C-alpha cells in the first residue's frame, strides 16, 4: 500500500534542526511531512520511512513504480536547496548522489540512493586514495559553468568565516590555546585564491559526507557548495575528515593528486582549523583538544604563507 505521509519527523531530526536554527524552525518542522508527501505525489513515489540524519533538512526514503529507490530531501532554507541542486547539476554523472527530481516551490529533491541503503554501503578500511580521486573528479566536473546561485568562496570567506573568527577571538577565553590562535590569525589576511584552480567546491568534506556504493566507490554527499579555489576542499578534507589520525597522509595525497604544493595547502588548513577551534570552544565541544592538536601539528608544516 502506498503511504501518503510518514507523520511527524523523527525526534532526532527535530532536535538537530532546533539546535541549528532555533525555535523559528518549528513551523517548518510541522510542515515537512506535507512537503515530502506532495513531492512524492508529483513524482509518483511511495514513501517508505524517514532517514534520521542531517542538520539542515528532513530526509526520507521512497520507492518508484519500477521498484527503484530514492532519497527525498526537504531543506529548511530555500537558498540551501538552490545551492545544492545547482551544484548537483554541475556534477551530474560524477561521484555524488545524483539529482533525480527537483521541486523548487517545495525546496524538495529526489536523489539517487547510494549503496542500496541510507548511509551507503560498508565503509572500506583503506579509503584515502579513493576519496582523493573522487574529490579530484568532482573538481574536474565543477569547472563546467554553474547555474546561477552557487555562491563564491571569496564571499563566504570575507562575509562569514573571517568575521566570525575575529568576533570569537575577541570574546572567547582560549586559555593555553590563545598564543597558537593569534599566530594563525595573522596569516588570514594573506590567504588568496589562484583563479586557474576555480571550480565548484563541496566545502563540507567531513567523513559523514562521504559514503560508499556497492562497489566501494566513494560518493560525496550533502555539500555546502561554493565556487572558488580547489585548495579549500583539499585543506578541509585534510583537516576534518578524521581529527584523530591520517592528516599528514591526506595532506600528502592532496598535494600529489591536485598538484598544489603542500606549502600552499597548509595555510588554508591552519585557517580552517582555527575556525574549528573557536567554534568548538564556543559550544564546549569535546572535540576541542583534537582540533587544537591538529592546529599545533600544522604549525610545524612550515610558516611559509600562501600568496
Amino acid at each position: 500500500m502506498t503511504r501518503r505521509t510518514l507523520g511527524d519527523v523523527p525526534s532526532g531530526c527535530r532536535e538537530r534542526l532546533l539546535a541549528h536554527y532555533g525555535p523559528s524552525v518549528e513551523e517548518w518542522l510541522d510542515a515537512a511531512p506535507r512537503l515530502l508527501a506532495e513531492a512524492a505525489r508529483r513524482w509518483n513515489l511511495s514513501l517508505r520511512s524517514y532517514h534520521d540524519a542531517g542538520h539542515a533538512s528532513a530526509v526520507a526514503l521512497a520507492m518508484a513504480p519500477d521498484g527503484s529507490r530514492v532519497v527525498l530531501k526537504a531543506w529548511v532554507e530555500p537558498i540551501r536547496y538552490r545551492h545544492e541542486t545547482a551544484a548537483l547539476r554541475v556534477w551530474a554523472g560524477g561521484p555524488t548522489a545524483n539529482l533525480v527530481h527537483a521541486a523548487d516551490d517545495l525546496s524538495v529533491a529526489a536523489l539517487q540512493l547510494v549503496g542500496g541503503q541510507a548511509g551507503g554501503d560498508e565503509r572500506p578500511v583503506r579509503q584515502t586514495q579513493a576519496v582523493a580521486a573522487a574529490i579530484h573528479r568532482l573538481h574536474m566536473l565543477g569547472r563546467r559553468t554553474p547555474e546561477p546561485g552557487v555562491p563564491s568562496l571569496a564571499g563566504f570567506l570575507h562575509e562569514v568565516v573571517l568575521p566570525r573568527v575575529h568576533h570569537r577571538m575577541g570574546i572567547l577565553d582560549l586559555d593555553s590555546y590563545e598564543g597558537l590562535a593569534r599566530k594563525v590569525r595573522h596569516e588570514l589576511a594573506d590567504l588568496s585564491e589562484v583563479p586557474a584552480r576555480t571550480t565548484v567546491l563541496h566545502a563540507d568534506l567531513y567523513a559523514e559526507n562521504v559514503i560508499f556504493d556497492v562497489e566501494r566507490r566513494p560518493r560525496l554527499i550533502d555539500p555546502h557548495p561554493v565556487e572558488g579555489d580547489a585548495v579549500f576542499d583539499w585543506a578541509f578534507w585534510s583537516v576534518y575528515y578524521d581529527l584523530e589520525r591520517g592528516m599528514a597522509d591526506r595532506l600528502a595525497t592532496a598535494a600529489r593528486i591536485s598538484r598544489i604544493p603542500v606549502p600552499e595547502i597548509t595555510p588554508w588548513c591552519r585557517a580552517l582549523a582555527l575556525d574549528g577551534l573557536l567554534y568548538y570552544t564556543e559550544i564546549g565541544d569535546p572535540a576541542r583538544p583534537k582540533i587544537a592538536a591538529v592546529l599545533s601539528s600544522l604549525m610545524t608544516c612550515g610558516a611559509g604563507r600562501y600568496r
Side-chain angles (χ1 to χ4, degrees):
M1 180 181 294
T2 299
R3 297 182 68 177
R4 299 299 181 186
T5 181
L6 295 175
D8 293 341
V9 300
S11 59
C13 173
R14 178 176 290 273
E15 290 169 6
R16 287 190 302 275
L17 294 185
L18 282 168
H20 186 74
Y21 291 107
S24 63
V25 80
E26 286 276 12
E27 184 177 351
W28 184 90
L29 287 167
D30 292 340
R34 296 193 299 274
L35 298 174
L36 291 166
E38 172 58 20
R41 184 195 65 77
R42 291 184 190 181
W43 301 325
N44 197 24
L45 302 173
S46 175
L47 292 169
R48 294 302 186 189
S49 63
Y50 282 113
H51 176 51
D52 193 2
H55 294 80
S57 61
V59 179
L61 302 180
M63 182 174 290
D66 64 2
S68 62
R69 290 178 293 169
V70 297
V71 173
L72 286 186
K73 185 173 180 179
W75 284 259
V76 174
E77 298 176 280
I79 193 168
R80 289 279 304 259
Y81 159 84
R82 292 194 297 271
H83 291 169
E84 186 166 337
T85 54
L88 290 174
R89 291 186 178 101
V90 174
W91 297 327
T96 63
N98 290 312
L99 185 66
V100 180
H101 301 290
D104 293 352
D105 59 320
L106 303 175
S107 295
V108 177
L111 308 174
Q112 174 190 22
L113 179 65
V114 174
Q117 59 187 331
D121 206 338
E122 185 177 353
R123 184 177 295 270
V125 175
R126 294 181 179 84
Q127 52 195 265
T128 299
Q129 300 294 329
V131 174
I135 295 169
H136 182 65
R137 172 63 175 158
L138 203 75
H139 289 169
M140 293 300 99
L141 293 171
R143 294 185 177 183
R144 300 168 176 170
T145 302
E147 297 184 5
V150 177
S152 71
L153 174 60
F156 176 60
L157 287 174
H158 293 288
E159 297 169 16
V160 179
V161 177
L162 298 183
R164 75 187 177 200
V165 165
H166 293 306
H167 173 69
R168 286 168 174 161
M169 285 285 292
I171 65 170
L172 295 176
D173 181 2
L174 296 175
D175 301 320
S176 60
Y177 304 133
E178 183 75 30
L180 178 63
R182 290 190 180 280
K183 287 180 182 178
V184 178
R185 185 173 68 169
H186 291 318
E187 292 188 355
L188 299 181
D190 293 321
L191 292 175
S192 62
E193 299 182 60
V194 174
R197 297 197 297 243
T198 297
T199 186
V200 177
L201 307 170
H202 184 284
D204 213 25
L205 287 166
Y206 296 100
E208 67 195 50
N209 290 338
V210 179
I211 62 175
F212 292 82
D213 63 21
V214 293
E215 296 179 355
R216 303 292 180 85
R217 297 175 302 189
R219 302 294 188 95
L220 313 181
I221 64 167
D222 293 342
H224 202 309
V226 293
E227 187 179 19
D229 192 331
V231 71
F232 183 90
D233 264 356
W234 292 114
F236 196 110
W237 176 65
S238 296
V239 170
Y240 285 106
Y241 194 75
D242 187 336
L243 287 178
E244 296 184 289
R245 61 185 66 85
M247 185 187 68
D249 185 34
R250 288 192 297 277
L251 186 54
T253 302
R256 184 174 65 255
I257 291 183
S258 69
R259 298 185 179 180
I260 304 173
V262 167
E264 293 190 15
I265 303 175
T266 50
W268 290 84
C269 291
R270 290 193 286 267
L272 288 166
L274 173 60
D275 190 33
L277 173 63
L278 295 170
Y279 173 65
Y280 294 153
T281 298
E282 184 175 63
I283 67 172
D285 195 293
R288 182 186 185 223
K290 296 177 184 178
I291 193 64
V294 167
L295 186 54
S296 295
S297 69
L298 284 164
M299 298 304 290
T300 68
C301 291
R305 294 180 180 177
Y306 170 52
R307 299 180 184 276

